[in-house]
Amino acid sequence: MRAKMQLYSGKEDVCFMEKIRIGIVGYGNIGRGVEQAVARNEDMELRAVFTRRAPESVSVKTEGVEVRRFDDMLSMKDEIDVMVLCGGSATDLPVIGPEVAANFNTIDSFDTHAKIPEYFANVDKAAKEGGNVSIISVGWDPGMFSLNRLYAEAILAQGSTYTFWGKGVSQGHSDAIRRIDGVKNAIQYTVPVEEAVNNVRSGSEPKLTTRDKHLRECYVVAEDGADRAAIEQAIKTMPNYFDEYDTTVTFVTEEELKANHSRMPHGGFVIRSGETGCEGNKHVIEYSLKLDSNPEFTASVLVCYARAAYRLSKAGENGAKSVFDVAPGMLSQKTAEELRAQML
Amino acid sequence: MRAKMQLYSGKEDVCFMEKIRIGIVGYGNIGRGVEQAVARNEDMELRAVFTRRAPESVSVKTEGVEVRRFDDMLSMKDEIDVMVLCGGSATDLPVIGPEVAANFNTIDSFDTHAKIPEYFANVDKAAKEGGNVSIISVGWDPGMFSLNRLYAEAILAQGSTYTFWGKGVSQGHSDAIRRIDGVKNAIQYTVPVEEAVNNVRSGSEPKLTTRDKHLRECYVVAEDGADRAAIEQAIKTMPNYFDEYDTTVTFVTEEELKANHSRMPHGGFVIRSGETGCEGNKHVIEYSLKLDSNPEFTASVLVCYARAAYRLSKAGENGAKSVFDVAPGMLSQKTAEELRAQML
């Protein structure tokens, strides 16, 4: 199924083209979310899924989509416009990010904040050599939250910015609990402290410690005969992960964990308040997300940036970019004229 | 006072330059707000204010700023990098927008939604002929609200977007009341209906009529001996302005109006909710503003887009743009590297 569509170019001239052909690299929660998001955007089609598993063991929902081995990407070099990289930031993306960028336009959700400059440089080099566009660190944080921090700071030059996350599951913190002796399974929720959020919303620009901003709620399945008090103590005193927070630990059965804590909601707030003028007028800018499914929302952001990568590449650009470098109009299916007439 | 600064170019190379020299065209509430906002951004300086009044009758707060006659702009062609046009959208901007764009980079807050395409075309022609960059319809609506409508719709391809305004003064509605016989003065507040906002925030995507979304609160000073019942009736039944809303009319004295209703707070919400995946997962994206001073906040948005216009012009671009065409990084005083390291 192909259809003609118009391209947003930021200019008056408009050209016609076929659907944007998407490849998914890695078919976990995010990869499956990207598949669903592509299905909801009529200017795109999913062409292939690349996996490290045996292709015949992977069944994708979309009809007619190829499932290929990870090391078989180059065979589809001319059939895919943008690869959406759905691997993890710890070990996967640092390797495959530059590797795939050498041959395809790419989008990823690299989220190890401290390593973004290094990752950007590596992807940039590969993408430039390959003549491709790679937009890194796309999602909601980094991603939409980053954009809102930037816009709000640019507008209110003097002020304070606060980011709150949750209520939602932190995979890293859940994993850290699972590594404790006697723990069979665990889920950890990051919870913003309502009093702190309200305080920030009032425009008072409070000084907040780590403990003031978030609580950590842990639901833990202990192994039979494990020392629960010791587990609770080990969690609450764990450096970096829990020691700077008020943490609650609730022991549950495996069945309870599955029944009540297997969904993936998340969300959060970026709030900036600041002053203008000479009479101390206060302003509060807030961006908030309330998400039923963290991976599906992240995937939806990835997919609209895939549209932008495609357009930037068609316009002759190359190299690594972040969300800060992409004009908002590039994300929309609408033309520049439609956007001005309908959305401005 | 000049200082060296770095230019965000969206690329790795960075160049050095002097402060961005701003001119203000029209010295009303917005113009005074722009003056204050420039003072809060250290990479800029205000060079001149252009006015239709007698220059000697206008006193600006910033030292060393020239006040010149409106028709004397060209004499400063080489001394001003960006003109911020602070006139009204009804009669002023449609004339001066293209006129100034022929000779200077410009920013304006043109907000007659229905006439944006025509205005864009006129400014675009003049700006291209003059080799200048003009960013039109900058502020919070149109402006930041437009951006948030676009981003949210691009992410959640299926869903519903709602814009609520207020609580804040509508100048147009206040003026409409003042034209009624027997009315000496009036202020009208647009007030979002809390129940509707909460309904939208729940993600239920309700169908809402005009009446469901906003109330109109009017504070009216009647002339001595005026027929108050007739005034109230005239307001509540006024086509386009009030007849489709639930409206309250409260008569006050001139002193009460001055004491309680002379500030200019405003704000509002853009909320989009939509579904992803195949299990009907819901998401709610909300952007909200709570502003002590509508004109000062609008001015702060204008000023950071003046920075972008300057950079786009330096990069060789020309013609009219909207906020949809401007990469977010262009708005910040920080370099691309700083933004990636600190804000992504």
Side-chain angles (χ1 to χ4, degrees):
Chain A
M1 280 273 295
R2 301 227 169 171
K4 295 285 178 187
M5 59 156 300
Q6 287 185 301
L7 169 73
Y8 174 94
S9 66
K11 300 195 182 68
E12 291 317 287
D13 53 308
V14 158
C15 67
F16 289 85
M17 67 185 48
E18 300 195 314
K19 288 199 180 197
I20 303 167
R21 301 164 302 174
I22 302 290
I24 291 174
V25 181
Y27 197 61
N29 285 330
I30 303 259
R32 285 191 296 270
V34 169
E35 179 183 12
Q36 296 293 326
V38 167
R40 287 176 180 269
N41 283 275
E42 54 185 28
D43 60 337
M44 298 184 178
E45 59 177 344
L46 180 61
R47 293 302 296 275
V49 167
F50 298 90
T51 176
R52 284 209 180 80
R53 292 177 269 170
E56 57 279 11
S57 74
V58 173
S59 77
V60 303
K61 297 200 176 183
T62 314
E63 257 182 69
V65 171
E66 309 236 16
V67 182
R68 296 215 179 172
R69 287 198 352 267
F70 197 82
D71 52 12
D72 197 19
M73 267 182 243
L74 281 182
S75 68
M76 292 189 76
K77 194 163 161 53
D78 299 326
E79 294 170 66
I80 286 174
D81 296 311
V82 187
M83 288 286 202
V84 184
L85 310 183
C86 303
S89 299
T91 55
D92 200 20
L93 286 175
V95 177
I96 71 160
E99 227 175 82
V100 184
N103 292 296
F104 294 92
N105 298 314
T106 67
I107 299 292
D108 69 57
S109 57
F110 184 81
D111 66 358
T112 311
H113 288 264
K115 294 193 173 166
I116 283 174
E118 180 190 339
Y119 182 68
F120 182 92
N122 293 339
V123 173
D124 190 52
K125 186 166 179 289
K128 277 185 177 143
E129 283 169 10
N132 298 309
V133 170
S134 293
I135 312 181
I136 71 155
S137 299
V138 172
W140 59 276
D141 196 3
M144 297 313 297
F145 274 19
S146 321
L147 280 175
N148 278 279
R149 286 187 284 260
L150 187 158
Y151 276 120
E153 190 187 281
I155 296 168
L156 297 175
Q158 273 89 45
S160 307
T161 303
Y162 303 82
T163 303
F164 293 93
W165 296 274
K167 182 178 176 175
V169 173
S170 162
Q171 216 52 64
H173 288 79
S174 302
D175 289 343
I177 300 173
R178 289 185 199 116
R179 287 193 293 265
I180 295 172
D181 266 356
V183 171
K184 206 172 152 191
N185 205 346
I187 287 289
Q188 191 269 185
Y189 294 94
T190 306
V191 185
V193 176
E194 209 177 315
E195 191 191 339
V197 176
N198 290 337
N199 212 341
V200 166
R201 274 191 190 134
S202 75
S204 68
E205 298 187 43
K207 292 246 180 299
L208 297 174
T209 64
T210 298
R211 194 178 301 273
D212 292 334
K213 289 177 70 187
H214 296 93
L215 302 174
R216 300 205 173 276
E217 284 179 8
C218 312
Y219 295 86
V220 181
V221 182
E223 282 168 2
D224 288 345
D227 181 345
R228 293 184 173 203
I231 291 172
E232 183 165 342
Q233 179 68 4
I235 295 172
K236 290 185 171 177
T237 59
M238 195 186 296
N240 302 319
Y241 285 90
F242 293 99
D243 62 338
E244 291 179 47
Y245 296 85
D246 288 338
T247 301
T248 63
V249 177
T250 307
F251 288 95
V252 296
T253 65
E254 187 79 55
E255 293 69 39
E256 285 169 333
L257 196 78
K258 200 170 171 186
N260 304 324
H261 303 287
S262 61
R263 296 182 65 225
M264 286 172 283
H266 219 308
F269 317 84
V270 173
I271 306 174
R272 183 171 179 85
S273 67
E275 232 179 68
T276 63
C278 46
E279 288 157 13
N281 282 314
K282 283 274 189 190
H283 308 276
V284 181
I285 305 172
E286 175 169 344
Y287 181 78
S288 76
L289 295 173
K290 206 166 58 190
L291 313 175
D292 272 359
S293 165
N294 184 357
E296 284 181 8
F297 188 83
T298 300
S300 300
V301 183
L302 285 165
V303 160
C304 70
Y305 275 93
R307 178 179 294 123
Y310 174 76
R311 289 167 176 181
L312 288 166
S313 172
K314 285 279 173 197
E317 302 228 16
N318 62 62
K321 319 244 171 226
S322 79
V323 293
F324 299 149
D325 306 312
V326 178
M330 291 271 168
L331 306 178
S332 174
Q333 290 187 52
K334 293 181 169 146
T335 65
E337 289 94 332
E338 286 170 341
L339 287 177
R340 284 195 297 270
Q342 298 165 23
M343 304 200 85
L344 200 58
Chain B
M1 279 272 297
R2 300 227 171 171
K4 295 283 177 187
M5 59 155 299
Q6 288 185 303
L7 169 74
Y8 174 94
S9 67
K11 299 196 182 66
E12 291 316 288
D13 54 306
V14 157
C15 68
F16 289 84
M17 69 187 48
E18 300 195 316
K19 287 200 179 196
I20 303 168
R21 300 164 302 174
I22 302 290
I24 292 173
V25 181
Y27 196 61
N29 286 329
I30 303 259
R32 285 191 296 269
V34 168
E35 178 184 12
Q36 297 293 325
V38 167
R40 286 176 181 270
N41 284 276
E42 53 185 29
D43 60 337
M44 299 184 175
E45 59 177 344
L46 180 60
R47 293 301 298 275
V49 168
F50 298 91
T51 177
R52 284 210 179 81
R53 291 177 269 170
E56 58 279 11
S57 75
V58 174
S59 76
V60 303
K61 297 200 178 186
T62 313
E63 258 181 68
V65 170
E66 309 235 15
V67 182
R68 296 217 179 169
R69 288 198 352 267
F70 197 82
D71 52 12
D72 197 19
M73 267 182 244
L74 281 183
S75 68
M76 292 189 76
K77 195 162 160 57
D78 298 327
E79 294 169 65
I80 286 174
D81 295 311
V82 186
M83 288 286 200
V84 184
L85 310 183
C86 304
S89 299
T91 55
D92 199 21
L93 287 174
V95 176
I96 72 160
E99 228 174 81
V100 183
N103 292 295
F104 294 92
N105 299 313
T106 65
I107 300 292
D108 69 57
S109 57
F110 184 81
D111 66 357
T112 311
H113 289 264
K115 294 193 173 167
I116 284 175
E118 181 191 339
Y119 182 68
F120 182 92
N122 293 339
V123 172
D124 189 51
K125 186 166 179 288
K128 277 186 177 142
E129 283 170 9
N132 298 308
V133 170
S134 293
I135 311 180
I136 71 155
S137 299
V138 172
W140 60 275
D141 197 359
M144 296 313 296
F145 274 18
S146 321
L147 280 175
N148 277 280
R149 287 187 284 261
L150 187 159
Y151 276 120
E153 189 187 282
I155 296 168
L156 297 174
Q158 273 88 47
S160 307
T161 303
Y162 304 82
T163 303
F164 292 94
W165 296 273
K167 183 178 176 176
V169 173
S170 162
Q171 216 51 65
H173 288 79
S174 302
D175 288 343
I177 300 173
R178 290 185 198 118
R179 287 192 293 265
I180 295 171
D181 267 356
V183 171
K184 205 170 152 193
N185 204 346
I187 287 289
Q188 191 270 184
Y189 294 94
T190 306
V191 184
V193 176
E194 208 176 316
E195 191 192 340
V197 176
N198 290 337
N199 212 343
V200 166
R201 275 191 188 132
S202 76
S204 67
E205 299 187 41
K207 292 244 180 300
L208 298 173
T209 64
T210 298
R211 193 178 301 274
D212 293 334
K213 289 178 70 188
H214 295 94
L215 303 173
R216 300 205 172 274
E217 285 179 7
C218 312
Y219 295 86
V220 180
V221 182
E223 283 168 2
D224 288 345
D227 180 345
R228 293 182 171 203
I231 291 172
E232 182 164 342
Q233 179 69 6
I235 295 172
K236 289 185 172 178
T237 58
M238 196 186 296
N240 303 319
Y241 285 89
F242 293 99
D243 62 338
E244 290 179 47
Y245 296 86
D246 289 337
T247 301
T248 62
V249 177
T250 306
F251 288 94
V252 295
T253 64
E254 187 79 56
E255 293 69 37
E256 285 170 331
L257 195 78
K258 202 172 172 187
N260 304 324
H261 304 287
S262 60
R263 295 182 66 226
M264 287 171 282
H266 218 310
F269 317 85
V270 173
I271 306 175
R272 183 170 179 84
S273 67
E275 231 178 68
T276 63
C278 47
E279 289 157 12
N281 282 314
K282 283 273 188 192
H283 308 275
V284 181
I285 304 172
E286 176 170 345
Y287 181 78
S288 76
L289 294 174
K290 206 166 59 191
L291 313 176
D292 271 0
S293 165
N294 184 358
E296 284 181 9
F297 188 82
T298 300
S300 300
V301 182
L302 285 165
V303 160
C304 70
Y305 275 93
R307 179 179 294 123
Y310 174 75
R311 289 166 175 181
L312 289 166
S313 173
K314 284 280 171 195
E317 302 229 17
N318 62 62
K321 319 247 170 223
S322 78
V323 293
F324 300 148
D325 305 312
V326 178
M330 290 272 167
L331 306 178
S332 173
Q333 291 187 51
K334 293 182 169 142
T335 65
E337 289 95 331
E338 287 170 340
L339 287 176
R340 284 195 297 272
Q342 298 165 22
M343 304 201 84
L344 198 60

